[in-house]
Amino acid sequence: MGQLTLAAAGSAILLCPAAHARAQSSETRTETRAQDAVAESAATEAEAAPAPAPLQYEVKVNAPGDLDELLEKNLDLERFRGNPRMDREQLQRLVRDAPEQVKNLVATAGYYTPVVTVRLDTSGARSVVIVDVDPGQAVSVGKVELELRGFDATPPLAASEPYDTQALKRSWPLKTGSVFRQAEWESAKRALLRDVVQTRYPRAQLVDTQAVVDPETHKVSLLVVLDSGPELRFGELRIEGLKRYPESIIRNLDKIRPGEYYSESALQSFQARLQDTGYFASVEVSADMSSILSEQIEAGQETQAAEASGAAPEARPARRGPAPLLPLVVRVTENKQQNVSAGLGFSTNTGNRAQLNYDNLNVWGTRFKSAITMETKKQAARANFYFPTTERGYNDSAGASFERSDISNEITAVTTISAKRNWGGTNLERSLTFEFLSEDKTVVGLEQTRSKSLPLTYAITKRNLDSLLFPTRGYVINAQVGGALLPVLTDERFVRVAGKAVYYRPLGEKGELILRGEMGALGSKEKRGVPAVYLFRAGGDQSVRGYAYQELGVKEGDATIGGRYMATASAEYQYWFKPKWAIAAFYDAGNAADTVKALTPKSGYGLGGRYKSPVGPINVDVAYGHAVQAYRLHFSLGFTF
């Protein structure tokens, strides 16, 4: 028997004549026949009165593995089942065409020599179409030939780093011996091309692809020819759309330097940084490819003119030097300068919430953001000025806030003046915060105290996630160290360290494991005089579920106050039974205390639901607090840091 070759979009897939006739779109042909038959039946029924009842039948597919699901979703017998115009003649036509359609469907799963029988059983009250499929031996990948053309550094840049074509070949997913499936073949070609066009060679293209099947050996030979096109590099930055703001707002965020290799990820990162500033309603960052097209057209015209004139090859235009640098183009639409917004909400941690925001994007050359928030357990007012990013990548801000809270019978009122510097990117973010705090604290049943402090805190966050919005793999680690060490505007000197981490790992195709931990410690001669915000408490949606917000801590009279030490841990399993819906089971434990010995963990456990909303995961949990012997409902959106 000869070779089979399969044709796919953008590919040449060759079949021997008999197999080729069978491999043509029987699905389309069958559907056309069925539609024609339905149309003929409709015309006949229009003349008849009354119309006969539609023919009812069932379809039973007997096929191993996942083939039954493949056939049930795609067979015309299933698609037209229940059609009001279906009659016995049309059903018999579908039965006759079904074997050919089955063979083409199972071929997409790697089976090219199936034995298919389709029969109609009319012995019962309702007709049953029985489809029996013996798929035979699956076709596996034999020879793989990846021909990569080009990928040479453009003169005079021959000394530049060569493209790692061997790594590109190693990334090819269809290895020798693996089952050949049509969907995986198409996906592999797209992935290969995508890896190339995203960096250095954005004009790469697949010039030839073939999958040749030998039905005797059940092997398929793969050929992929990819041409890199010219190696391209970034040029100078061009900005369009600015009206109120200086170009430095954009240029200071540009980490792409002229002469660097083209990189799609670099463009996306630059665009994300600009969008995060808040200055712009829309941002588009792109490389201007028109310069490449213009030069190619001009070069082609010169060559054609030389050939038409009969000039000798050596007299024709020489091959041009390096391709022109691609201008980096940023097009923006500025946000309106002032914005007022309001919102209502609810948190199982702090109760009902109403919030009023006022933002102004150009106050003394800074972004001004303010908010008044009224919650059942907290009330706050904040105002901050955000300076444009500096050339070295620093994001500076300064502001003031007032916050009053009444939690676990501890009432605090804190006034804060702060200055902060952030730097780094999404994967590694750092900050340095200098604050002055003045705090009034009242513990129910005890006298009111007042304290002030001038702490300095350094924080670092490391992210390694597959997705920032819906992470399923990776980790996030945050660490903080700081304190008030100088006897200036400080009632009690202290040192404080804290850290937290979240780890994500897939379990099977639909499962996910989430581990979370947090710990902290405070060193001071006396606890009195240290602001409550720098002490530790536990409990709540993002801490130990089954307990109220910051319910776990040091008992003092009828209140719970913060302790010197804190440790919590959590393990959660999520099962995504639908793409956007999951159920979860979790176990949390932790506590806060004034001594390490007193850190007796309090546990909480329960079940929850998860939903992937456009703004992040929505989490609803019912947890049982073992120490308080009570159930508590928890609701949260997204995940911390």
Side-chain angles (χ1 to χ4, degrees):
M1 185 179 293
Q3 290 181 331
L4 296 176
T5 317
L6 302 168
S11 313
I13 300 188
L14 312 172
L15 294 161
C16 65
H20 181 65
R22 188 186 64 199
Q24 289 180 349
S25 182
S26 68
E27 181 179 349
T28 303
R29 190 171 64 248
T30 304
E31 182 176 351
T32 303
R33 291 177 180 174
Q35 290 174 341
D36 291 342
V38 170
E40 294 173 4
S41 176
T44 304
E45 290 175 1
E47 298 174 359
L55 177 64
Q56 300 295 326
Y57 65 92
E58 296 180 0
V59 178
K60 183 178 180 181
V61 177
N62 300 315
D66 296 332
L67 294 180
D68 54 350
E69 183 178 355
L70 171 70
L71 297 175
E72 288 169 358
K73 287 183 177 180
N74 295 281
L75 278 176
D76 287 340
L77 282 165
E78 283 285 359
R79 294 171 58 190
F80 287 99
R81 190 161 66 92
N83 189 296
R85 296 187 176 90
M86 179 61 66
D87 58 21
R88 186 164 299 279
E89 182 181 356
Q90 294 176 56
L91 177 59
Q92 290 173 345
R93 290 178 180 175
L94 292 178
V95 169
R96 288 196 300 269
D97 290 334
E100 195 70 21
Q101 189 181 18
V102 169
K103 292 177 182 178
N104 284 278
L105 287 171
V106 299
T108 65
Y111 299 94
Y112 291 88
T113 56
V115 176
V116 182
T117 59
V118 182
R119 65 184 189 277
L120 179 62
D121 184 357
T122 59
S123 60
R126 175 177 290 190
S127 299
V128 179
V129 179
I130 303 173
V131 180
D132 294 312
V133 181
D134 179 3
Q137 182 179 342
V139 169
S140 60
V141 177
K143 181 181 178 182
V144 178
E145 185 178 356
L146 300 180
E147 183 179 339
L148 305 178
R149 299 175 181 173
F151 295 98
D152 296 325
T154 305
L157 302 174
S160 62
E161 180 182 354
Y163 192 91
D164 193 347
T165 55
Q166 294 304 313
L168 190 63
K169 291 181 178 181
R170 288 194 298 269
S171 68
W172 178 257
L174 294 182
K175 306 297 184 182
T176 300
S178 61
V179 175
F180 176 78
R181 296 181 176 88
Q182 186 69 29
E184 294 177 1
W185 163 239
E186 297 298 331
S187 176
K189 292 184 292 182
R190 289 193 299 268
L192 181 70
L193 181 60
R194 183 172 59 250
D195 286 346
V196 176
V197 300
Q198 287 180 340
T199 177
R200 294 179 65 167
Y201 300 99
R203 296 186 62 78
Q205 58 182 337
L206 295 172
V207 296
D208 189 18
T209 63
Q210 292 184 18
V212 182
V213 178
D214 187 338
E216 294 183 353
T217 62
H218 296 278
K219 298 289 184 181
V220 59
S221 298
L222 304 180
L223 169 65
V224 177
V225 181
L226 186 147
D227 187 279
S228 68
E231 178 190 72
L232 300 180
R233 301 191 179 217
F234 288 119
E236 295 293 335
L237 175 63
R238 190 169 71 227
I239 300 172
E240 301 175 2
L242 279 180
K243 297 178 181 178
R244 292 192 301 268
Y245 309 118
E247 288 192 353
S248 60
I249 289 178
I250 293 177
R251 293 189 180 277
N252 288 347
L253 292 172
D254 180 17
K255 298 181 180 180
I256 302 173
R257 297 294 174 260
E260 290 184 356
Y261 290 123
Y262 173 89
S263 169
E264 188 173 305
S265 62
L267 294 176
Q268 293 173 347
S269 296
F270 187 17
Q271 180 167 307
R273 290 193 296 273
L274 292 174
Q275 289 171 331
D276 289 342
T277 64
Y279 285 112
F280 309 113
S282 66
V283 178
E284 179 188 352
V285 178
S286 62
D288 185 4
M289 295 287 183
S290 61
S291 58
I292 299 297
L293 296 175
S294 299
E295 176 148 315
Q296 288 178 339
I297 293 173
E298 182 182 346
Q301 291 174 342
E302 291 178 0
T303 301
Q304 290 177 359
E307 291 175 349
S309 65
E314 59 271 13
R316 296 174 186 174
R319 185 185 176 196
R320 292 182 177 267
L325 297 179
L326 295 174
L328 185 60
V329 182
V330 175
R331 297 181 178 90
V332 298
T333 302
E334 295 178 345
N335 262 327
K336 57 183 179 180
Q337 182 174 333
Q338 301 184 69
N339 183 62
V340 178
S341 61
L344 299 174
F346 173 79
S347 167
T348 50
N349 276 342
T350 53
N352 300 315
R353 179 176 67 254
Q355 183 166 315
L356 179 66
N357 304 302
Y358 170 72
D359 300 340
N360 191 318
L361 297 179
N362 196 3
V363 177
W364 305 315
T366 69
R367 286 184 297 134
F368 175 75
K369 297 175 71 68
S370 62
I372 297 176
T373 305
M374 305 297 292
E375 296 176 286
T376 305
K377 297 181 179 181
K378 278 187 177 183
Q379 302 82 44
R382 294 182 174 84
N384 291 282
F385 295 89
Y386 297 88
F387 296 85
T389 303
T390 67
E391 291 184 9
R392 300 182 63 181
Y394 294 125
N395 296 287
D396 298 327
S397 62
S401 67
F402 174 81
E403 181 176 286
R404 181 188 182 278
S405 63
D406 183 355
I407 298 172
S408 297
N409 290 329
E410 181 186 52
I411 303 171
T412 60
V414 184
T415 301
T416 305
I417 300 174
S418 64
K420 187 174 183 179
R421 166 164 284 185
N422 281 81
W423 68 97
T426 301
N427 294 334
L428 183 62
E429 182 180 352
R430 287 154 286 180
S431 68
L432 192 64
T433 306
F434 186 58
E435 299 175 292
F436 169 72
L437 294 90
S438 176
E439 177 186 84
D440 289 327
K441 180 170 66 175
T442 301
V443 177
V444 174
L446 302 176
E447 65 179 12
Q448 181 179 357
T449 61
R450 177 170 294 177
S451 62
K452 58 183 180 295
S453 188
L454 195 68
L456 178 68
T457 302
Y458 173 78
I460 182 170
T461 301
K462 171 66 176 177
R463 298 179 179 89
N464 184 7
L465 300 170
D466 57 348
S467 169
L468 291 178
L469 193 60
F470 300 108
T472 61
R473 182 187 298 275
Y475 61 87
V476 184
I477 300 174
N478 172 266
Q480 300 177 20
V481 59
L485 300 178
L486 300 177
V488 179
L489 297 176
T490 299
D491 292 332
E492 181 65 36
R493 288 178 288 179
F494 67 91
V495 175
R496 182 181 187 271
V497 294
K500 52 186 175 180
V502 182
Y503 174 72
Y504 298 86
R505 180 177 180 179
L507 289 181
E509 294 184 359
K510 298 183 179 181
E512 180 182 342
L513 175 67
I514 303 175
L515 301 177
R516 175 169 45 85
E518 185 174 4
M519 62 188 306
L522 177 112
S524 66
K525 186 176 180 180
E526 299 288 342
K527 193 171 74 170
R528 183 185 177 92
V530 177
V533 69
Y534 285 100
L535 299 174
F536 298 100
R537 291 199 282 190
D541 302 338
Q542 301 288 347
S543 182
V544 183
R545 286 164 286 189
Y547 301 87
Y549 177 57
Q550 296 189 355
E551 180 183 7
L552 302 177
V554 177
K555 292 295 182 181
E556 188 170 316
D558 295 330
T560 299
I561 65 173
R564 291 177 178 270
Y565 302 95
M566 181 267 295
T568 67
S570 172
E572 179 173 316
Y573 175 75
Q574 297 179 356
Y575 180 77
W576 293 89
F577 59 92
K578 288 188 176 181
K580 290 189 175 184
W581 292 93
I583 56 175
F586 57 87
Y587 182 89
D588 300 343
N591 207 345
D594 276 338
T595 65
V596 175
K597 187 177 180 180
L599 275 176
T600 304
K602 303 293 180 67
S603 61
Y605 40 86
L607 301 173
R610 305 289 180 264
Y611 172 70
K612 290 183 179 179
S613 75
V615 294
I618 295 177
N619 314 302
V620 180
D621 296 314
V622 177
Y624 179 76
H626 186 75
V628 295
Q629 297 184 352
Y631 289 93
R632 181 172 291 273
L633 177 67
H634 295 274
F635 173 85
S636 62
L637 174 64
F639 69 101
T640 57
F641 74 99

